[in-house]
Amino acid sequence: MVEKILANLEKSTCAVDNTFLQAVSEVLTSLEPIIKSDPRYEQFAILERLVTPDRVLQFKVQWLDDNNQVHINNGYRIQFNNSLGPYKGGLRFHPSVTTGMLKFLAFEQIFKNSLTGLPIGGAKGGSDFDPKGKSDFEIMRFCRAFMRELYPFIGARVDVPAGDIGVGSREIGYLFGEYKRMTHTYDGVLSGKPYAFGGSLMRPQATGYGVVYFAKEMLKEELQESLEGKVCTVSGAGNVAIHTIEKLQQLGALAVTCSDSEGSIYDPRGIDLHVLRELKENTYRLSLREYAIRVPGSVYIPKSEYLEKTHAIWQIPCFAAFPCATQNELTLLDAKKLLENGCVAVVEGANMPTEPEAIELFIREGVLFSPGKASNAGGVAVSEFEMSQNASMEKWDFEKVDRKLDELMRQIYKRIALTAKEYGVERNFVDGANIAAFKRVAEAMILEGV
Ligand code: NDP
């Protein structure tokens, strides 16, 4: 049955890209053993309906640069499944954005959001607009033009977009401003807003902190280990990577790496977060090359020096690895090296950063492997906390959000570990996550009827 659905999917659309098929194939393979356990899954065609988005919106975004030149980009919103609650998922602004990529991210989002146990459905959106090198006013004009096309399709109880790669609180602020102007309403239609108007405390930290809370719980329960004093490798240098490094450091671990799209840093004394932030948390993100100039003893390895199909970061011995940059950034060769060097856990911060063959190897060899849909769900969870605060006109303090996030990440770990055990695939957190998430969504789809 799974093969039939995948074959149909491949045939049905030429826009489909490999990452979408990869994500669907991973999920459906995990579900194969349980699909026969409940006749309603077939009767209600749950799998077929689950792999087909409710709506794929594509629109033209026209904007003026600082020299009054007209530019045109593609804008998208994929509303994949709203069985559990309003559509929810980030917006990505990056030149690599296509419908296929967003379909993969939106599909994953359904499962991630289900794992949180919160009432949110799955969506994703964005544009092939490249924010790099644009002025603040250009970013503002682009965001306003994007929202002018998107606003009729979203709403606080309909679809609540958030940030992702290339979309931080500045962009969310501009998008929100335009939504407010177009609709004359002031509600929680976007999450990840600046704290000054409706944002939740801890949203910027939530994904990275959540990744580490998840890792802490998994290591404690599975290996009776802690992160204290352990060498960890982290990829990426954006929101997720920075806050993963920060929380690792707070828990006494030594995070020795970071990377951007041009190269990697190895700093054996531990990443200097102050320097990393100075380079990356400004309008014109600077190259990590600069880090090695400012921090003696650190090494910069340009991407051009990597061997084919390997990444410098994963060659460095570590106790635990945290891929936090982008999809398919940890290959089979990288996985072999991590194993050889004694890595005991791989905790995904990015969405689908590990290639399927590498995941198989980790699971086969007993490395604790957590899929992003489980370990990076802290971001969307705090986004939902923001929706709750907006709806009740409340403001929660930092400690409350942090406590709830920690508790929620521990619950996600427990949910997927127990599910894996129940279905005879103990410690396979990929299957555990897919099955646990699916059962919740499928039940809602059945109860809501066709
Ligand atoms: P950012 O845009 O803040 O950062 C992404 C980082 O990854 C940048 O440092 C970027 O480098 C780097 N990067 C991009 N491509 C590559 C590459 N090919 N090789 C190495 N580094 C690369 O994004 P986020 O931190 O927000 O997101 C990172 C990942 O986490 C994404 O997969 C996202 O979908 C996922 N995620 C994010 C959430 C969030 O709350 N932000 C929530 C859940 C998942 P450069 O600076 O050169 O572009």
Side-chain angles (χ1 to χ4, degrees), residues 230-435:
K230 305 293 192 323
V231 172
C232 296
T233 46
V234 179
S235 65
N239 173 279
V240 180
I242 285 176
H243 294 105
T244 297
I245 294 171
E246 184 169 76
K247 186 47 81 178
L248 283 170
Q249 291 182 349
Q250 286 173 10
L251 297 185
L254 192 66
V256 294
T257 60
C258 61
S259 64
D260 62 18
S261 43
E262 305 297 323
S264 311
I265 286 290
Y266 173 48
D267 188 345
R269 283 176 305 180
I271 292 294
D272 184 327
L273 262 186
H274 178 71
V275 173
L276 181 59
R277 288 201 142 110
E278 267 186 7
L279 298 179
K280 292 296 181 183
E281 289 185 340
N282 59 28
T283 309
Y284 296 99
R285 288 181 177 183
L286 298 170
S287 161
L288 282 178
R289 195 181 291 275
E290 184 67 24
Y291 182 101
I293 296 168
R294 294 194 198 179
V295 183
S298 66
V299 185
Y300 177 71
I301 311 151
K303 204 168 191 173
S304 53
E305 285 182 17
Y306 303 179
L307 295 173
E308 207 184 333
K309 282 285 184 189
T310 61
H311 299 87
I313 281 188
W314 314 126
Q315 315 305 306
I316 291 162
C318 65
F319 171 77
F322 295 81
C324 295
T326 191
Q327 59 267 18
N328 292 327
E329 50 153 324
L330 197 162
T331 63
L332 181 59
L333 286 178
D334 294 327
K336 285 182 178 161
K337 195 70 190 172
L338 282 166
L339 259 171
E340 200 181 301
N341 286 335
C343 170
V344 304
V346 177
V347 187
E348 291 189 335
N351 285 315
M352 226 167 69
T354 314
E355 290 189 344
E357 303 76 23
I359 298 177
E360 264 174 46
L361 182 72
F362 287 141
I363 293 174
R364 202 171 55 239
E365 296 297 325
V367 172
L368 299 176
F369 175 82
S370 159
K373 70 187 73 154
S375 39
N376 74 24
V380 77
V382 173
S383 278
E384 198 273 353
F385 298 168
E386 183 175 328
M387 289 162 71
S388 290
Q389 292 171 75
N390 292 165
S392 59
M393 307 282 256
E394 282 177 38
K395 281 273 192 197
W396 300 350
D397 62 28
F398 195 92
E399 286 68 32
K400 177 170 176 174
V401 183
D402 195 27
R403 204 174 50 246
K404 282 173 78 77
L405 173 66
D406 193 1
E407 174 58 24
L408 189 129
M409 296 314 294
R410 281 189 279 131
Q411 288 304 329
I412 293 179
Y413 160 74
K414 283 205 176 71
R415 200 167 288 141
I416 68 176
L418 278 176
T419 307
K421 212 170 184 175
E422 188 185 339
Y423 286 90
V425 283
E426 198 166 353
R427 278 199 173 172
N428 182 334
F429 302 127
V430 174
D431 284 355
N434 287 334
I435 296 170

Side-chain angles (χ1 to χ4, degrees), residues 37-57:
S37 69
D38 186 337
R40 297 176 308 160
Y41 294 153
E42 265 193 80
Q43 188 190 352
F44 283 83
I46 294 296
L47 289 187
E48 290 88 337
R49 288 165 57 207
L50 199 56
V51 301
T52 311
D54 290 347
R55 215 159 287 105
V56 177
L57 304 165

Side-chain angles (χ1 to χ4, degrees), residues 164-216:
D164 190 68
I165 291 178
V167 180
S169 64
R170 173 184 59 163
E171 290 75 17
I172 294 287
Y174 295 148
L175 290 162
F176 181 81
E178 189 62 12
Y179 181 86
K180 196 174 56 115
R181 277 184 287 271
M182 298 303 291
T183 60
H184 301 281
T185 54
Y186 199 110
D187 58 21
V189 66
L190 289 152
S191 63
K193 298 185 286 299
Y195 184 65
F197 63 90
S200 174
L201 282 173
M202 257 201 85
R203 177 60 190 89
Q205 293 90 342
T207 306
Y209 279 23
V211 167
V212 181
Y213 290 150
F214 184 97
K216 181 177 67 137

